[in-house]
Amino acid sequence: MLPRQDLYPGYDVLAKRDGPSWNAKTRAVLDERLAIGPEMRRFFDEAEWMTLKALAARIVPQPADREVPVPVAALVDYKLAIGEHDGYRDATMPDEREAWRQGLRALDAEARAQFGARFHELSTWAQDELLKLAERGELTDAAWASMPSKLFFKHRVLGDVVKAYYAHPTAWNEIGWGGPASPRGYVRMDFDRRDPWEAAEAKPGREDEAYAENLRVGD
Amino acid sequence: MRIPGLGNAADNPKHGTPGDDPEHHPRARDGRAPNVMRIGEWVPMRQHRDEDEVDFAVVGTGAGGGTLACRLAEAGFSVVAFDAGPYFRPLEDFASDESHQSKLYWTDERIVDGENPLQMGSNNSGKAVGGSTVHYAMVALRFRPEWFKARTLMGYGADWPIDWREMWHYYDQVEDDLKISGPVNYPWGPHRRRYHRRAHEINAAAKVLARGAEAMGIDWTPTPLATISAPRGDAPPCVYRGFCTLGCSTNAKQSVLVTYLPRALKAGAEIRDLAMVGRIETSNGRATGVHYHREGRWRFQRAKNVVVAGYAIETPRLLLMSANREFPDGLANSSGLVGRNLMVQGNQAVWGVFNEEIRSYKGPPSLAISEHWNYDDKGSGPFAKDFFGGYSYMSQGPLPQLWANTQASAHGLWGEALVAEMQRYNHVAGLKVVSEYMPQERNRVTLSDVKDRYGLPVARITYSWCDNDKALNRHALKFLRQALEAAGGREIWDQGDDTCHLNGTARMGNDKRTSVVDADCRSWDIPNLWICDGSVFPTVGGVNPSLTIQAIALRTADRIFAARGA
Ligand SMILES: Cc1cc2nc3c(=O)[nH]c(=O)nc-3n(C[C@H](O)[C@H](O)[C@H](O)COP(=O)(O)OP(=O)(O)OC[C@H]3O[C@@H](n4cnc5c(N)ncnc54)[C@H](O)[C@@H]3O)c2cc1C
Ligand code: SF4
């Protein structure tokens, strides 16, 4: 595994906001999302919130020096507060909202039982140990009730947290995705071709070229 | 040609309608419906009163229902078509955003179980005027002729009660109606006419498929797609923005919303959006109309005929929910087969990393295809076939949320491993199958004890693979892996558990003991109750189903005209 790096230096998908790649609806949707602050919380209570934030930091860790981190927990909260649904659930799972509340409570209970502190107070090593047990379905504290920890981890933790992070322009910059693309779309489709409004990847030794290209995507 | 999508009602205040919110307030009312091709414009719509006995009440406006409603209206019948979903204006309502566009999906609750529980929601069904074609990937394929006699000619599944030559005629008609873009010569199956538009340019992800197929010594082709490669009326050609499965905001996609439904309105059909049908009423063995929920209350529309076209979960659900004293086991269910033989299709994939930049987010997701394994029944060596059925496979173009979710839930990555792997997004290509699973009576839709927001029982969907399904999965993954490797892919991994499409819960046939509807989609038990959607498939084949659903809808319309003439 290569470590995370600054692969698309200087690229900011938001530079295209007022150009032909963003229609009015897209602007409205992204304005709403970008207005969600890190402490905006309507659905979770205080205790759940602490656990969720710690959990999100392990599932989609962000660089320590990132000035404005993606508000992952707030994005998950927002989804639950407006009642957005997946449209299905395993017969052994409660609905999304209940599953989240129960799962966060259960993670905290496991943290107390196994390490004597709440989940968010644990070291990242201990947090990961618990999450790996959940991933394998090996957490079985009574607080889980009938919900399998494995399905909570797969459907709720991975599903909702990962999708929340990759719904944010900061994450799009990090992976060099073109972002919203209506109505302009794209023209160059072949191997190793990019349109001038797409992110330029830094090739070893030529990072400056990529940086200069990336400052022009909004032109 | 107009350049659509540059603004919306917000940019053009003179077009704004106060309180316009398609997800909460119906748009098709007061004698007009949205003109989906033009910002802020409307078209006139004929309307009926609930107490008028209309010729046809059609439940669902997707591939089956929308297509049939159009043809019935054009033949002069009075038609009211209901859809539980909103009446979207793609040019104004569709953002380039994965999260936001989940508004297109059927996300009301459903419960899944069985040995291989299905993923529903975004993966499977739509809830909008135009149905799942609003977000489908536009792959427009014909069945292999032999599949219509799968039992007799190939030894599995069930025969269809329709001859392939007749279907070929209707495929011609749908392809014309949708102006399919495709190759000059299609490599498999009997001769077919040239497609109406040239094939689309293929992207790097599709070229990966081509390289792999050529290395493996099999044919491939640019995929026939229901998105135009040259202008058509108010619709511009595809701009390769790649958001197709989240709704096409330019109207290049030839969904039912922008093709058959405008025609239906013009011919005098009425469309009722945000209208959930909860029960079909019967009296003396005949359907008499539908109970539907719209604008906060339950209403009853009288009708001489009822067509159910809600797709393979909602169709059996509605038939079962309509159980009454005359039909205690649900409507059209004397065979006991309503809800049974649910068939999804395999959607396994292999993914790998390439030295080149691929950037598969550009263009429709599946620009190249091979149907080799739908037509080669034997195979050889390591790829000898030890199962019934076949598969096609296509190139892919997942957007970031979908890709991250695949990396997390199918590849098991999270934490630093996930965020680092996601940085290779622009270097990834994959191959994905659409494969033929067997009909099994144990795979089914039933009603659960849980109630939805209308107070109606939620569907329970039970699914398990049989040994044949598993053998097919193994063959497909093995072959795809080798093809991707041959194309230059590295660090290849299998996505082993994905499925797509829904069919088979009200199968057609020649015998009322072993099928729910006859070849004309008329239910055996209730002569004025029809089922016209993906539910009627006796087998699914190894291609995406919509073109076949639409061809059947066109045929059903012709059969109804013929019956009227007689
Ligand atoms: C992501 C995705 C990609 C796809 N890509 C392709 C592709 O490339 N090619 C292809 O051939 N197929 C594709 N499909 C499948 C295709 O969209 C469906 O097979 C097809 O649309 C099904 O047609 P239908 O008429 O049976 O149902 P639908 O098109 O789903 O229409 C059913 C409609 O009925 C409405 N409805 C249901 N119940 C009720 C009720 N009780 N009251 C009122 N309204 C109701 C729903 O709201 C819906 O609008 C794709 C599907 C998905 C999810
Ligand atoms: S790629 Fe083409 S069909 Fe797909 S959303 Fe864009 S314009 Fe529409």
Side-chain angles (χ1 to χ4, degrees):
Chain A
M1 170 183 117
L2 285 167
R4 172 192 221 147
Q5 40 184 321
D6 189 11
L7 200 54
Y8 299 93
Y11 176 60
D12 182 7
V13 68
L14 294 175
K16 299 197 264 183
R17 181 185 183 281
D18 297 313
S21 283
W22 289 47
N23 61 10
K25 185 68 187 183
T26 303
R27 286 195 292 275
V29 165
L30 265 296
D31 286 353
E32 188 179 329
R33 188 163 313 142
L34 290 168
I36 297 173
E39 292 301 322
M40 255 176 70
R41 153 169 81 85
R42 284 187 288 167
F43 175 74
F44 289 108
D45 70 22
E46 180 69 32
E48 294 159 352
W49 185 242
M50 303 303 281
T51 310
L52 174 63
K53 285 208 290 191
L55 173 71
R58 297 317 302 150
I59 300 298
V60 281
Q62 305 193 49
D65 60 353
R66 183 170 275 172
E67 271 171 40
V68 189
V70 177
V72 181
L75 289 166
V76 173
D77 181 280
Y78 182 83
K79 173 187 160 168
L80 294 163
I82 62 172
E84 200 181 297
H85 297 290
D86 290 348
Y88 67 102
R89 63 180 164 93
D90 194 276
T92 55
M93 295 280 288
D95 77 45
E96 270 119 320
R97 294 169 170 225
E98 185 47 36
W100 263 114
R101 288 202 197 285
Q102 200 173 310
L104 292 176
R105 270 200 307 270
L107 268 184
D108 241 359
E110 297 279 1
R112 281 215 188 81
Q114 302 197 24
F115 299 101
R118 290 194 45 205
F119 185 83
H120 74 272
E121 295 164 340
L122 302 182
S123 69
T124 55
W125 173 85
Q127 288 173 341
D128 284 359
E129 286 306 298
L130 283 177
L131 292 175
K132 284 180 205 160
L133 290 171
E135 184 179 24
R136 294 199 298 268
E138 288 167 15
L139 292 183
T140 51
D141 189 280
W144 292 98
S146 62
M147 176 169 73
S149 54
K150 186 185 174 108
L151 292 183
F152 171 70
F153 187 81
K154 180 167 179 190
H155 292 298
R156 297 280 61 88
V157 176
L158 291 185
D160 293 340
V161 174
V162 170
K163 280 196 201 142
Y165 181 70
Y166 286 99
H168 198 279
T170 301
W172 303 342
N173 293 340
E174 182 178 85
I175 64 170
W177 179 49
S182 186
R184 174 165 53 179
Y186 299 103
V187 179
R188 296 164 183 80
M189 306 256 281
D190 211 340
F191 290 109
D192 289 322
R193 295 299 303 278
R194 64 174 267 279
D195 286 322
W197 54 93
E198 292 182 85
E201 183 184 301
K203 309 287 179 196
R206 290 166 44 202
E207 289 82 359
D208 291 353
E209 279 170 47
Y211 183 73
E213 289 288 336
N214 282 331
L215 293 189
R216 289 204 295 269
V217 296
D219 291 358
Chain B
M1 184 183 114
R2 298 153 61 89
I3 306 289
L6 277 169
N8 69 2
D11 283 353
N12 302 282
K14 73 181 163 68
H15 293 313
T17 309
D20 180 35
D21 173 2
E23 290 167 70
H24 297 100
H25 302 291
R27 276 180 171 161
R29 48 174 302 168
D30 305 327
R32 65 181 197 175
N35 177 348
V36 291
M37 305 309 293
R38 297 194 175 191
I39 291 171
E41 294 189 17
W42 300 86
V43 292
M45 182 177 76
R46 181 176 168 201
Q47 280 183 249
H48 301 272
R49 293 176 310 163
D50 284 340
E51 48 283 11
D52 295 341
E53 189 181 50
V54 296
D55 293 328
F56 283 89
V58 180
V59 184
T61 59
T67 307
L68 178 61
C70 167
R71 297 294 294 136
L72 292 173
E74 287 177 343
F77 290 109
S78 57
V79 176
V80 178
F82 298 84
D83 207 290
Y87 209 133
F88 287 117
R89 293 174 173 275
L91 300 177
E92 297 162 61
D93 299 329
F94 289 0
S96 286
D97 188 75
E98 287 180 272
S99 291
H100 180 79
Q101 290 299 119
S102 63
K103 67 185 181 184
L104 301 182
Y105 304 135
W106 190 289
T107 53
D108 293 8
E109 190 165 44
R110 287 160 170 170
I111 293 172
V112 295
D113 63 8
E115 287 160 32
N116 306 93
L118 301 179
Q119 297 172 43
M120 303 297 298
S122 61
N123 199 39
N124 261 320
S125 42
K127 184 179 188 179
V129 171
S132 305
T133 70
V134 176
H135 70 257
Y136 82 151
M138 314 167 302
V139 174
L141 303 174
R142 299 183 180 199
F143 262 42
R144 174 179 165 180
E146 288 85 343
W147 292 342
F148 294 103
K149 289 276 174 288
R151 165 66 47 201
T152 308
L153 296 178
M154 308 181 84
Y156 69 88
D159 286 349
W160 290 55
I162 305 178
D163 186 82
W164 75 271
R165 280 164 293 242
E166 211 186 335
M167 288 299 290
W168 234 239
H169 164 75
Y170 288 106
Y171 281 132
D172 280 348
Q173 198 178 328
V174 204
E175 287 173 355
D176 189 15
D177 287 344
L178 304 182
K179 298 288 177 255
I180 303 293
S181 305
V184 175
N185 293 305
Y186 195 73
W188 306 278
H191 175 76
R192 59 183 72 176
R193 287 195 325 207
R194 275 185 73 159
Y195 287 103
H196 296 265
R197 294 282 191 283
R198 68 163 174 81
H200 288 279
E201 179 186 347
I202 62 173
N203 61 9
K207 287 186 180 176
V208 165
L209 182 143
R211 275 186 192 164
E214 283 167 16
M216 301 293 285
I218 63 168
D219 284 330
W220 68 276
T221 181
T223 311
L225 292 175
T227 178
I228 45 179
S229 56
R232 175 186 197 192
D234 281 336
C238 174
V239 296
Y240 305 127
R241 59 188 277 273
F243 280 79
C244 320
T245 56
L246 301 148
C248 178
S249 58
T250 70
N251 280 338
K253 175 193 283 193
Q254 300 296 291
S255 67
V256 170
L257 176 64
V258 306
T259 56
Y260 289 107
L261 291 178
R263 273 172 58 182
L265 288 167
K266 202 165 168 197
E270 177 181 352
I271 296 170
R272 290 193 197 148
D273 53 339
L274 300 182
M276 173 72 187
V277 175
R279 195 154 64 84
I280 300 164
E281 191 66 54
T282 70
S283 167
N284 300 322
R286 294 179 65 85
T288 55
V290 297
H291 296 272
Y292 68 103
H293 190 272
R294 196 183 196 210
E295 296 182 286
R297 64 189 180 94
W298 284 102
R299 301 160 52 156
F300 180 70
Q301 174 68 53
R302 297 180 60 213
K304 294 198 180 87
N305 294 275
V306 174
V307 180
V308 187
Y311 208 8
I313 306 298
E314 294 307 315
T315 286
R317 179 181 176 219
L318 179 57
L319 295 171
L320 295 173
M321 288 191 304
S322 300
N324 57 24
R325 216 177 300 160
E326 272 186 289
F327 299 101
D329 301 324
L331 305 189
N333 199 18
S334 64
S335 63
L337 289 175
V338 167
R340 292 196 186 265
N341 293 305
L342 171 66
M343 291 171 285
V344 292
Q345 293 178 293
N347 209 200
Q348 282 76 15
V350 298
W351 301 97
V353 179
F354 287 75
N355 291 335
E356 297 103 323
E357 290 178 18
I358 305 288
R359 299 184 190 259
S360 68
Y361 55 83
K362 293 188 276 191
S366 298
L367 282 162
I369 181 171
S370 178
E371 270 207 69
H372 177 85
W373 291 109
N374 275 336
Y375 287 83
D376 181 343
D377 292 327
K378 295 211 166 67
S380 61
F383 302 116
K385 264 190 176 177
D386 56 351
F387 56 89
F388 291 122
Y391 60 89
S392 54
Y393 71 92
M394 286 158 245
S395 54
Q396 293 296 303
L399 297 188
Q401 275 191 321
L402 174 62
W403 181 237
N405 190 47
T406 305
Q407 285 287 4
S409 38
H411 202 191
L413 300 186
W414 51 274
E416 291 294 341
L418 174 68
V419 292
E421 182 60 34
M422 282 300 290
Q423 286 206 295
R424 303 206 284 185
Y425 176 59
N426 284 341
H427 287 266
V428 167
L431 303 172
K432 204 163 213 205
V433 296
V434 169
S435 67
E436 173 159 30
Y437 284 160
M438 292 295 124
Q440 300 177 61
E441 288 196 2
R442 65 176 176 155
N443 288 338
R444 62 188 296 207
V445 176
T446 50
L447 302 179
S448 71
D449 304 332
V450 181
K451 296 282 194 301
D452 73 2
R453 64 183 140 129
Y454 307 102
L456 302 170
V458 160
R460 173 185 291 269
I461 305 164
T462 308
Y463 209 88
S464 308
W465 284 328
C466 63
D467 289 341
N468 194 81
D469 300 341
K470 292 179 190 166
L472 181 150
N473 291 346
R474 281 194 298 273
H475 186 280
L477 285 171
K478 190 161 70 173
F479 185 83
L480 262 48
R481 175 178 277 270
Q482 202 158 319
L484 198 65
E485 213 160 14
R490 294 179 282 114
E491 299 173 56
I492 296 174
W493 61 278
D494 295 350
Q495 180 183 359
D497 68 349
D498 213 8
T499 65
C500 61
H501 308 146
L502 303 161
N503 296 84
T505 49
R507 60 156 57 163
M508 57 163 62
N510 281 321
D511 182 342
K512 66 175 297 188
R513 288 165 306 176
T514 54
S515 59
V516 177
V517 297
D518 66 15
D520 301 345
C521 293
R522 188 199 291 259
S523 75
W524 289 112
D525 300 344
I526 302 177
N528 65 339
L529 177 68
W530 313 72
I531 298 168
C532 186
D533 64 6
S535 314
V536 302
F537 284 32
T539 53
V540 280
V543 298
N544 318 47
S546 301
L547 200 72
T548 302
I549 296 172
Q550 292 186 282
I552 289 170
L554 294 178
R555 181 182 181 279
T556 300
D558 280 357
R559 300 297 300 163
I560 290 172
F561 308 155
R564 175 179 61 173

